[in-house]
Amino acid sequence: MLSKKIPDIDLIEQLERLSLVEFNNEQGYISLQKSVQSADLLQALDTTNVEPLASVFEDRALWLREDKVTEGNQLKEILSNATKVEENYFVAPPGNIPMKKREKDFLKSVLENKYSK
């Protein structure tokens, strides 16, 4: 059974922009609902007195080395790996590219049917 919690259109649009997945069809909507259901299961877990892990390898010792500079003065060599550099910094590509605004007919009909009952 899918979760009864249905995000509103604005939240769904924000999730689409962040994930670059369109939810305005049956398959996308079912995927969204299953994700919400999984999150609901995680929210229901009681984590009281559960220590956070520093690593997923809780049964193994992790060997850390001392953080020492072993090679220096290589700014030019390092920045030569960048596609674009500005003021001696890597220029990262923009984050998620906004999706085109589309009518949310499928989502609107689903939300109206769920809440009108």
Side-chain angles (χ1 to χ4, degrees):
M1 186 171 142
L2 295 177
S3 174
K4 298 290 185 207
K5 295 180 182 178
I6 301 172
D8 62 20
I9 293 288
D10 293 334
L11 179 57
I12 290 172
E13 286 179 346
Q14 183 179 9
L15 291 171
E16 284 181 328
R17 285 191 302 274
L18 291 171
S19 67
L20 298 177
V21 174
E22 187 175 344
F23 298 120
N24 194 32
N25 56 49
E26 188 173 1
Q27 182 181 358
Y29 184 75
I30 289 171
S31 174
L32 175 63
Q33 285 293 82
K34 287 181 179 179
S35 296
V36 170
Q37 184 181 28
S38 295
D40 288 345
L41 289 173
L42 290 175
Q43 289 288 342
L45 291 176
D46 180 15
T47 58
T48 308
N49 299 323
V50 175
E51 292 288 323
L53 294 174
S55 168
V56 294
F57 300 116
E58 61 183 282
D59 60 336
R60 296 182 191 174
L62 298 177
W63 303 101
L64 301 177
R65 64 173 172 80
E66 192 175 329
D67 191 13
K68 284 194 236 176
V69 176
T70 55
E71 297 177 35
N73 298 321
Q74 295 187 353
L75 180 64
K76 288 181 182 178
E77 291 85 1
I78 292 170
L79 291 178
S80 71
N81 294 309
T83 305
K84 187 173 180 183
V85 175
E86 194 170 303
E87 296 181 9
N88 289 332
Y89 288 97
F90 282 83
V91 177
N96 290 332
I97 300 164
M99 296 178 75
K100 293 179 184 176
K101 281 281 191 184
R102 297 184 184 157
E103 285 299 314
K104 302 294 180 189
D105 297 331
F106 178 81
L107 289 174
K108 287 177 184 176
S109 68
V110 170
L111 293 176
E112 287 171 4
N113 289 335
K114 290 280 184 182
Y115 289 119
S116 63
K117 293 179 181 177

